[in-house]
Every structure is written in structure tokens, then in C-alpha cells.
Amino acid sequence: AQKITQTQPGMFVQEKEAVTLDCTYDTSDPSYGLFWYKQPSSGEMIFLIYQGSYDQQNATEGRYSLNFQKARKSANLVISASQLGDSAMYFCAIISNFGNEKLTFGTGTRLTIIP
Amino acid sequence: DARVTQTPRHKVTEMGQEVTMRCQPILGHNTVFWYRQTMMQGLELLAYFRNRAPLDDSGMPKDRFSAEMPDATLATLKIQPSEPRDSAVYFCASGAGGGEDEKLFFGSGTQLSVL
């Protein structure tokens, strides 16, 4: 079984500041992948970034980076220079690779960027 | 620009009626997932297919829900009879079946309201 925990139901951040969204995970599989998705108020789910369990370096995609600490089982999302358009729900998710490729989501964090 | 297409975008129906939601996965993707999103439960996996074969539908109430893939370009989720507690956003997602780096691409969702 796999589980994602997001402990921050909501966050308010000043525009242009960096923000860290927390994510911890639990899995018994040695091989897994971690994802972050963004869900704006329009409702669609937008893929942001991926980190494989065997990746040596932290993943980065533009202003998004993933702070992967395997021993702590954490995969925090860092957004640099936040923008008003970053206001949305953010979901952390995990998938494991033992023939059961179900993506399990956390409960999400609602991020609000303040002008 | 490849994307997952879901229809209808919104559906309002009366309790007891049959509801059919359709999904066209991205061409070439061989995994298809159905998720349900509610405020209380978050994102729940209902069913998933690989190469059109159902691999896991344990998250789906079997007495009223059914999921099928009649061909590689169409996935359907049916509810019969529908109940008010089925009101939610239903997402379809597809992936290339890459195991732990399986990025899922989501459709825009079907907002279902059962009165």
C-alpha cells in the first residue's frame, strides 16, 4: 500500500516570494515515482514535475523544483518567484512499479498568492 | 497538442437515471484511469485499464458502476442507477504505461450533479 500526506491544507504567500509545499510519502516498494500536479480553479489537473526514486538529482522544471529527501520520505515542491497565476490546489502523488501502476494522491494544499 | 478529451463537461440528472461519461485517451497511450474527486474524499481511483484490459476496479462500487474500453480510443464510465452521493467531478487520465515514470495526463473532467 502507498500513501501520500500533505499536512498544509492552505498557504498564503506574497507574490515573488518562494514557497515550499510539503509532501511525505509511505511505500514498501523500492521503486517508485513522485509527482506534483496543479489544479487551478478551472478544475483541470496539470502535471508539473516528476522525481524517480533512483534519481540522484532533484528534479527541476522551470520555476518548479522538487526537494527529494529519500531517507525522510519527503518530496517537497518548491516554487521560486511566485506569481499570481500560481494560486491553485497542488497535489502530490506517488506511483510504484510492481505491476500495479496506480497513482495515489494526497489531499492537496491550496496555495494563494497575495499581490 | 495531444490531450485527453472527456464528455460531457457537465451533467445534471435525476436520481435513478443512467449516466454515461466518455473519455478519449491520448493516441498511443495504453493506460487509462478513472478518478473521482469530491471535497470529502479528495481524488479516488475508481478503475484502471492497461491495453484495454481492466486491471483494477476495486475502488468502484460494483453494484452501480461499470467501466469499459470498447476500443483503444474510447473509455466509458457508467452509473446505473445514479444517486445523489455520486455527485462529483470524474476525471479520466491516460498514460504511456512507463511504469514508475508514468506521467498521467488528465482530461478536463465531468462535473456530475445527481439531484
Side-chain angles (χ1 to χ4, degrees):
Chain A
Q2 52 198 27
K3 185 180 177 183
I4 292 284
T5 302
Q6 294 180 256
T7 57
Q8 307 153 309
M11 288 187 69
F12 291 84
V13 172
Q14 204 75 38
E15 189 181 6
K16 297 181 185 174
E17 289 185 353
V19 56
T20 298
L21 304 180
D22 295 341
C23 171
T24 57
Y25 60 90
D26 191 21
T27 179
S28 54
D29 294 320
S31 176
Y32 51 89
L34 295 154
F35 299 79
W36 278 91
Y37 282 82
K38 173 183 178 181
Q39 187 176 41
S41 57
S42 54
E44 72 262 42
M45 295 286 286
I46 303 168
F47 165 78
L48 293 179
I49 196 167
Y50 162 80
Q51 179 85 43
S53 57
Y54 290 112
D55 292 344
Q56 296 296 315
Q57 292 188 319
N58 287 344
T60 59
E61 290 281 354
R63 292 186 300 112
Y64 304 108
S65 61
L66 202 152
N67 184 2
F68 181 46
Q69 298 187 44
K70 194 170 182 177
R72 290 186 164 187
K73 293 192 172 181
S74 77
N76 299 341
L77 177 71
V78 180
I79 307 174
S80 63
S82 58
Q83 302 170 356
L84 295 178
D86 294 332
S87 294
M89 280 289 286
Y90 288 80
F91 292 94
C92 182
I94 186 170
I95 196 168
S96 53
N97 188 26
F98 275 5
N100 189 12
E101 300 139 327
K102 295 190 286 190
L103 195 62
T104 301
F105 287 86
T107 52
T109 296
R110 181 168 297 282
L111 175 65
T112 303
I113 306 300
I114 305 165
Chain B
D1 186 23
R3 59 180 61 193
V4 176
T5 304
Q6 283 187 252
T7 56
R9 191 81 171 85
H10 302 275
K11 177 72 176 179
V12 181
T13 191
E14 291 185 341
M15 183 172 64
Q17 296 298 305
E18 177 179 302
V19 175
T20 298
M21 291 169 272
R22 292 179 173 81
C23 168
Q24 182 176 358
I26 291 173
L27 190 65
H29 281 188
N30 65 350
T31 58
V32 173
F33 296 73
W34 284 103
Y35 283 87
R36 175 171 64 185
Q37 186 178 31
T38 60
M39 288 292 291
M40 295 300 293
Q41 301 297 327
L43 279 155
E44 303 173 278
L45 177 67
L46 296 176
Y48 107 88
F49 295 78
R50 190 195 300 147
N51 295 324
R52 295 177 53 203
L55 289 194
D56 189 338
D57 60 2
S58 58
M60 204 164 65
K62 303 288 193 306
D63 56 338
R64 299 183 300 109
F65 284 61
S66 63
E68 295 179 347
M69 278 201 76
D71 61 60
T73 64
L74 177 65
T76 61
L77 180 67
K78 289 186 182 179
I79 309 174
Q80 169 62 25
S82 57
E83 297 180 2
R85 60 180 166 152
D86 301 329
S87 298
V89 179
Y90 290 81
F91 286 103
C92 174
S94 72
E100 69 172 31
D101 62 353
E102 164 101 90
K103 299 180 193 56
L104 293 189
F105 295 86
F106 282 75
S108 300
T110 294
Q111 173 81 58
L112 174 64
S113 298
V114 183
L115 307 177

